[in-house]
Amino acid sequence: MPQPATYTIPPRLKRTVRPERVATPGVDGAARAPEAFWRGVEAGGTPVVGGDDGTGHRTVTFLWRGGDELADVVLVANKIADADSCEHNRMERVPGTDVWHLTYRMRDDWRASYTVAPVPADGAPAPEGALSATTRLRRERALAVADPEDRPAVARWFDALAHAVPDPLARERLDATASVVSLPGAPPELWRPSGGRVCAARTEGEAPAGAGTVTAARLTGAALGNTRTVWVHRPAQAPPDGTPWPVVVLLDGQDWHTLPLAPLLDGLIADGTLPPALTVMVDSLDPATRTRELACDDAFVDFLGHELLPWLGDRHDVASDPGRTLVAGQSLGGLTALYAAHRAPHRFGRVLSQSGSFWWPNVAVAGGESERMAGLVAGADTVPGRVHLSAGLNEWALLDANRRLRDALAARGAELGREPGSVVLTEYNGGHDRACWRAGLPDGLVFLTSDWERRGR
C-alpha cells in the first residue's frame, strides 16, 4: 500500500525541449586578458545579458571564477537544470584561465532563481547539512521514482547540489541561498525599493508612518494536533465606512513573512492598487507536515475554516461573506487553496493558485487516478466566485494540468451562471520558483479583489 507522501511525488515526465546553448560572446577576450575580463564582469554584474537579436531572444551568460581546484562547475537554474540534464548545464573552462562559462539563448521575458555548484577536484564532500530538508526530501522522492538505470545520475546530480551557492556577482538575490536572473521583458518586480512602492521593513511597535502592523501568534489546531505560528498583517488604512475587514489567507506563510511581504502590501494599499484587508500568513511547519496537510487534507481545511478564521474573528471585525475571503498558495498550497474553496464554499470564495500541483495525485501510485481537483470541479455544486491561476512555461509536469483545470472551472462556472472571465490562467516564462511567485502575487491579488472597496474611490 503506498504511503500518503508518495501521492505528492510529481509525475515522472522528462523534459522534451531544453534551452539552446550557444557560444559565449567575448570568451576570446577572457582568454587574452582574464583580469580585464573579470573587471568588466564585476562592474556590470552577472549574468551577462546580450541585446535582443530581433526575435525576442537574448544571450544569457553565466560565469564562475575558479581554477584547478575545481573538477566541474554546474549551473542550477530553476526548471532549466535537473537530474536528467546535468551534462547540458555544465560550464566550460577557458583553457589556462580561471573563467568558467555557459551561455543560453533565452526568450526576453525569462525569470529564474539559480545557484552555481563548484565541484571540488579533490572529491571533498560538501559540509554536513548542506542540502536543505526540502532538497533532501526531493532527493528521496526522485530516487524513489527514477528508473533503475537513471538512479546513479540522479544521485550525482544531488551530490552536486550539495555544493551549490549563490552567484557572488549576481545583480539580484532571491534570499541568502539563491540568485535571480530577470531579463528585460520579464514582468516588473514591485519588491525592490527602486519600484517606488516598497516601504521600509519594520517590526511591531516601530512602524514608520503609513505602515501597518504585523502580529505573530501561536495557534493550536485541535483537528491537526499541532501548533504553528500565524502572522497577521493589519494595514494602517481600514476598510471605508466601518465595513468588516476582508481576509487573505496565505499558505506557506513563513516564506512570505520572511520576504517580507508586509511592506509591499502597505505600499500597494496606500496607492490604491490593493484594498485594505487582513492578511494571515500561515506557517507550514516542516516538509513532512506540509506534504501531508497541503494535499487535499480535510483536517487542514477544517483548521482553516473552523479554527483559524474564528480565531481571527475574535480579534478583528472580519467579513463573513466568502466573496471577501481569499485563500492563496503555491505548488501544493495552490492545490489546497482551491480544495479549501471546494470543501468550504461558505467560507472561501476567492482563490489564488500559483504553480498549483493540479496533477495530484501521482498516477503511478493512485491506481491510475490523476488530476483529482479537475474531476471534483466538474461535478461541484458551486465554484469560487473568482479564481486566478498561474503556471510557468517551464513547469512541464503541471502546466497542462493547470490548463485543463482552468477549462474545467470555466465550463462549470458557465453552467452555474458565473460571469465570463471569473477564472484566468496566467502563463509566465519561468518555473516552479519563488522568484516568479513573488513577482506574480500582486497581479493575482488585484484581479481577485477588484470589487473590494479601495481607499479614495
Side-chain angles (χ1 to χ4, degrees):
M1 183 73 178
Q3 295 298 310
T6 64
Y7 284 82
T8 64
I9 300 172
R12 181 68 171 163
L13 301 177
K14 292 188 177 182
R15 179 193 294 274
T16 57
V17 178
R18 300 201 180 278
E20 180 185 0
R21 280 192 69 157
V22 297
T24 296
V27 74
D28 293 341
R32 290 192 301 269
E35 289 301 324
F37 172 82
W38 281 117
R39 284 196 296 271
V41 171
E42 290 169 0
T46 51
V48 178
V49 178
D52 191 313
D53 65 3
T55 69
H57 292 73
R58 298 172 183 264
T59 57
V60 187
T61 299
F62 296 89
L63 297 161
W64 189 262
R65 191 168 193 174
D68 293 339
E69 77 280 5
L70 299 179
D72 210 355
V73 180
V74 180
L75 176 69
V76 186
N78 186 281
K79 291 302 178 185
I80 295 297
D82 54 38
D84 296 323
S85 64
C86 188
E87 289 298 316
H88 194 73
N89 300 290
R90 296 174 64 196
M91 292 189 179
E92 300 176 44
R93 185 181 177 188
V94 178
T97 75
D98 59 359
V99 178
W100 296 74
H101 62 97
L102 179 158
T103 301
Y104 293 131
R105 178 176 175 268
M106 301 298 289
R107 209 171 76 181
D108 179 65
D109 57 349
W110 180 49
R111 172 176 281 124
S113 61
Y114 72 97
T115 55
V116 182
V119 180
D122 61 6
E128 187 174 351
L131 289 181
S132 68
T134 299
T135 304
R136 290 197 299 272
L137 185 62
R138 284 175 49 212
R139 184 184 194 277
E140 293 171 5
R141 292 177 177 177
L143 288 170
V145 300
D147 296 330
E149 62 271 20
D150 292 336
R151 285 173 189 158
V154 171
R156 284 196 300 272
W157 169 254
F158 282 98
D159 288 344
L161 285 190
H163 296 279
V165 294
D167 181 350
L169 299 180
R171 288 180 294 276
E172 298 179 56
R173 276 287 188 96
L174 177 66
D175 52 26
T177 66
S179 306
V180 175
V181 50
S182 297
L183 299 193
E189 284 253 37
L190 302 182
W191 303 91
R192 303 185 208 167
S194 60
R197 288 179 170 178
V198 180
C199 305
R202 76 281 187 221
T203 57
E204 189 176 2
E206 299 177 349
T213 59
V214 177
T215 303
R218 298 285 287 170
L219 183 59
T220 298
L224 298 171
N226 54 32
T227 301
R228 72 192 68 223
T229 302
V230 297
W231 296 270
V232 180
H233 172 256
R234 177 176 174 138
Q237 299 181 24
D241 304 322
T243 56
W245 286 96
V247 175
V248 176
V249 176
L250 191 52
L251 306 179
D252 287 319
Q254 70 285 350
D255 293 333
W256 294 104
H257 173 66
T258 303
L259 188 60
L261 177 66
L264 176 68
L265 294 177
D266 287 334
L268 296 179
I269 291 168
D271 70 10
T273 301
L274 289 177
L278 297 177
T279 299
V280 186
M281 294 167 272
V282 183
D283 189 2
S284 54
L285 298 178
D286 55 79
T289 302
R290 181 183 185 274
T291 297
R292 181 179 67 253
E293 294 181 347
L294 299 189
C296 298
D297 181 63
D298 289 340
F300 184 73
V301 172
D302 288 343
F303 163 74
L304 295 179
H306 299 316
E307 297 183 85
L308 176 68
L309 290 182
W311 172 87
L312 187 68
D314 289 341
R315 289 154 180 79
H316 305 274
D317 180 19
V318 300
S320 59
D321 178 4
R324 291 170 64 80
T325 309
L326 187 161
V327 58
Q330 296 73 38
S331 191
L332 283 174
L335 168 72
T336 290
L338 183 57
Y339 186 68
H342 169 76
R343 277 266 287 106
H346 59 292
R347 300 301 290 133
F348 304 106
R350 304 288 167 93
V351 173
L352 190 156
S353 170
Q354 296 180 287
S355 300
S357 300
F358 294 115
W359 50 263
W360 185 90
N362 187 310
V363 65
V365 296
E369 181 195 7
S370 65
E371 300 186 30
R372 183 180 298 174
M373 199 65 244
L376 292 174
V377 164
D381 293 334
T382 187
V383 294
R386 294 189 187 184
V387 179
H388 188 281
L389 310 171
S390 62
L393 297 177
N394 294 324
E395 297 189 273
W396 64 93
L398 60 76
L399 179 58
D400 285 342
N402 271 265
R403 291 168 174 167
R404 286 187 286 269
L405 179 71
R406 181 267 320 276
D407 293 344
L409 281 164
R412 188 60 179 147
E415 294 171 0
L416 296 171
R418 293 291 188 198
E419 293 182 5
S422 63
V423 54
V424 299
L425 170 61
T426 298
E427 299 182 9
Y428 56 85
N429 189 14
H432 204 73
D433 195 340
R434 283 192 292 132
C436 297
W437 298 338
R438 72 183 189 180
L441 182 72
D443 285 343
L445 293 176
V446 168
F447 170 78
L448 294 168
T449 66
S450 63
D451 59 340
W452 297 3
E453 188 62 37
R454 268 88 169 148
R455 300 293 290 182
R457 284 191 176 181

